[in-house]
Amino acid sequence: MSEHLDAKAVEVLNTNDRGGYTVPTARLYPYQWNWDSAFVALGYGAFDRVRAWTELEYLLEGQWGGGMVPSILFRHNDPDYFPGPSVWQTQSSGQSVPPMPSTGISQPPVLASVMRELVASGDDYDLERAAQMIDQVAGWHEWFQRDRSIDGVVATVHPWETGRDNCPDWEIGLRGMEVDKSLEPYQRKDTEHADPRQRPRQDQYDKFITLVKFARERDWDQRLFSDESPFLMADPGIHFILLRANRDLLELAEQVGNTAAVEKLKPLIATAEQASQQFWDEQLGAFTARNMRTGEFSGGVSNASFLCFYADIGTAAQRQSMMEHFERIQKSVQFLMPSWDPAAEGFDSQRYWCGPVWPQMNYLISQGLAEQGYSQHAQRVKQDLSQLIQQSGFRECFDPLSGEGCLGTEFSWTAAIWLAWASPNKQELAA
Ligand code: DGY
């Protein structure tokens, strides 16, 4: 069974390969996505190291002059996707002209941690490839600190930047903003390719597009976007992933003797560690998203909350409280880890980031739990994903109550996470 799935996962990646970069799935997401590509490289790493590094190099080709690596690279124009390059219009920005059409926001920076993972499971070849990328990746991490941070907290100006597009975490931020009255009528494409009940709501899309228009009118000046955006929230996902990525990049920089990068990264780590406490909601007893304009917490535990372990953050009491949430949530679902607490307002077991289990999040959460000594919990998170894939295939995400697959099929990061981690044969494949 798992041999068959291993072969099928390789086939999924090869089918979605567009020659140097891989689309998440045909039609619904027809371009190169940032964190998708990073996870995809882990998958290629199980059977083709050269292809793994090429995926990452292609991603960095889209890096802006200011350091940002965008969430989507539009290497061609595909009328099947909205909003495409003609909506973002980043190339006509007077700031630092992006090297290719792209969005004007970033995504969770898992790249450095993937590089470290490939190096740890590889040889001199992998270290050499990683060494060539360290400065560029450090530049991206510095960008987060320079253009997206408020007092050390990495904030976000757009739910799409978090990768957790319609998570109820963002409701308090979206509620506080208006839809631009002069927004031109537009036609969504996502709801033509997927069940609209599983995609973000129309009122959310109107605000997503309003935010794109807002930044476009500010010429994609990234600091200005952060300073003035009607939506400004702190995301535990980006913050914890970036903190971890900085540590992983520091380790790589030390390994290859890149002292300039080492000196850049150390203060970024110290600042992020200190700022992490700003995500702690004492009333809920959890790390959560927070509105940077009002100080209000989102009021619910998401799967990103559990990345505190991955980032090695929290006092003993805070960790204990997070584990109590883990145990409670575990009792309310069949499969961990739902993207939103089933007991919180807004939970919907099949709607995108309002409840479904996400493969790449389970991978990160489980890794963090294992590192912090919660090995049984880590194993459960891994087992559940493995079972979901065996039962429902390489779907984009899964219903935590029924195990049903949701949204995209033949999905790249699901195949990649299977090959790199969730497959029982992972070790043999990598040999
Ligand atoms: C989408 O189109 O749903 C993407 O998540 C945006 O990045």
Side-chain angles (χ1 to χ4, degrees):
M1 169 69 169
S2 53
E3 275 79 15
H4 165 72
L5 280 176
D6 293 344
K8 176 78 189 144
V10 171
E11 193 186 309
V12 167
L13 291 184
N14 288 336
T15 306
N16 291 337
D17 186 353
R18 295 292 178 269
Y21 75 97
T22 309
V23 298
T25 185
R27 304 208 69 199
L28 185 58
Y29 309 119
Y31 298 111
Q32 183 174 20
W33 259 261
N34 186 325
W35 68 331
D36 290 74
S37 261
F39 290 114
V40 154
L42 273 184
Y44 282 124
F47 64 99
D48 184 343
R49 309 298 284 197
V50 176
R51 183 62 188 79
W53 288 102
T54 305
E55 184 79 24
L56 301 179
E57 264 171 16
Y58 267 58
L59 177 60
L60 288 176
E61 277 178 12
Q63 184 168 36
W64 286 26
M68 182 181 76
V69 182
S71 62
I72 311 175
L73 303 185
F74 303 118
R75 290 176 183 275
H76 59 282
N77 187 18
D78 193 323
D80 237 8
Y81 182 81
F82 179 87
S86 63
V87 179
W88 290 88
Q89 293 174 22
T90 50
Q91 282 221 302
S92 48
S93 88
Q95 293 303 312
S96 72
V97 179
M100 70 177 77
S102 72
T103 60
I105 54 173
S106 198
Q107 250 186 346
V110 285
L111 173 55
S113 300
V114 166
M115 286 163 59
R116 188 184 147 263
E117 203 58 49
L118 288 172
V119 167
S121 60
D123 54 26
D124 287 352
Y125 169 79
D126 298 277
L127 190 59
E128 220 170 278
R129 298 292 295 262
Q132 286 158 12
M133 292 182 182
I134 288 173
D135 289 330
Q136 263 186 287
V137 181
W140 181 23
H141 292 187
E142 280 185 303
W143 169 83
F144 271 110
Q145 192 59 45
R146 193 185 58 243
D147 282 351
R148 278 287 186 272
S149 298
I150 318 286
D151 299 332
V153 174
V154 181
T156 184
V157 289
H158 201 302
W160 280 338
E161 191 162 73
T162 70
R164 304 187 294 122
D165 305 11
N166 66 337
C167 182
D169 258 343
W170 316 128
E171 290 295 341
I172 51 167
L174 292 174
R175 222 179 287 139
M177 65 173 280
E178 300 282 326
V179 173
D180 189 314
K181 292 193 175 48
S182 61
L183 211 60
E184 283 173 18
Y186 63 92
Q187 183 78 41
R188 282 175 70 172
K189 294 286 177 186
D190 59 318
T191 43
E192 291 174 15
H193 305 314
D195 183 343
R197 288 169 306 181
Q198 297 183 358
R199 290 288 300 170
R201 302 187 312 261
Q202 187 55 42
D203 62 296
Q204 291 170 323
Y205 247 75
D206 287 345
K207 291 189 177 172
F208 295 167
I209 303 301
T210 293
L211 288 167
V212 172
K213 181 168 184 284
F214 179 89
R216 203 172 60 208
E217 288 169 354
R218 277 150 190 82
D219 212 14
W220 292 107
D221 179 325
Q222 294 293 327
R223 187 64 246 182
L224 198 62
F225 194 4
S226 301
D227 288 341
E228 297 186 353
S229 175
F231 177 93
L232 188 74
M233 288 196 66
D235 173 21
I238 292 185
H239 190 90
F240 290 150
I241 284 171
L242 180 60
L243 172 48
R244 170 61 181 255
N246 272 323
R247 292 207 195 103
D248 288 340
L249 197 61
L250 176 71
E251 198 179 301
L252 285 175
E254 282 171 341
Q255 225 174 319
V256 300
N258 185 337
T259 45
V262 167
E263 292 318 310
K264 271 184 200 166
L265 292 165
K266 279 183 179 163
L268 295 185
I269 294 167
T271 307
E273 280 174 351
Q274 220 171 14
S276 293
Q277 283 304 322
Q278 303 233 21
F279 291 86
W280 182 254
D281 178 349
E282 185 63 42
Q283 211 183 330
L284 190 66
F287 291 102
T288 75
R290 188 171 194 184
N291 191 337
M292 294 304 285
R293 298 272 181 243
T294 63
E296 195 185 351
F297 290 103
S298 71
V301 177
S302 71
N303 50 0
S305 300
F306 291 102
L307 294 179
C308 60
F309 299 103
Y310 179 71
D312 192 9
I313 280 302
T315 61
Q318 287 172 333
R319 287 175 186 215
Q320 192 189 328
S321 180
M322 288 305 302
M323 291 315 289
E324 283 164 16
H325 283 296
F326 185 109
E327 305 275 354
R328 176 181 60 73
I329 290 172
Q330 178 175 313
K331 287 192 192 112
S332 66
V333 294
Q334 205 185 334
F335 299 97
L336 289 170
M337 177 55 80
S339 40
W340 187 243
D341 187 341
E345 192 183 333
F347 175 79
D348 183 336
S349 67
Q350 296 202 348
R351 201 189 268 272
Y352 216 33
W353 285 88
C354 299
V357 174
W358 288 80
Q360 81 289 15
M361 294 299 285
N362 270 34
Y363 165 72
L364 300 176
I365 292 167
S366 176
Q367 202 177 323
L369 287 168
E371 286 164 356
Q372 302 306 326
Y374 300 99
S375 50
Q376 280 181 1
H377 298 83
Q379 194 55 24
R380 167 76 199 264
V381 172
K382 184 177 186 173
Q383 279 312 321
D384 282 8
L385 181 70
S386 191
Q387 203 185 321
L388 282 167
I389 294 174
Q390 292 180 52
Q391 173 177 326
S392 301
F394 296 109
R395 300 297 299 269
E396 182 173 358
C397 53
F398 305 88
D399 184 328
L401 304 179
S402 67
E404 211 176 311
C406 302
L407 292 153
T409 56
E410 315 301 306
F411 212 84
S412 296
W413 69 20
T414 313
I417 294 292
W418 173 267
L419 287 170
W421 180 68
S423 166
N425 302 321
K426 190 223 148 229
Q427 266 76 15
E428 289 77 33
L429 255 182

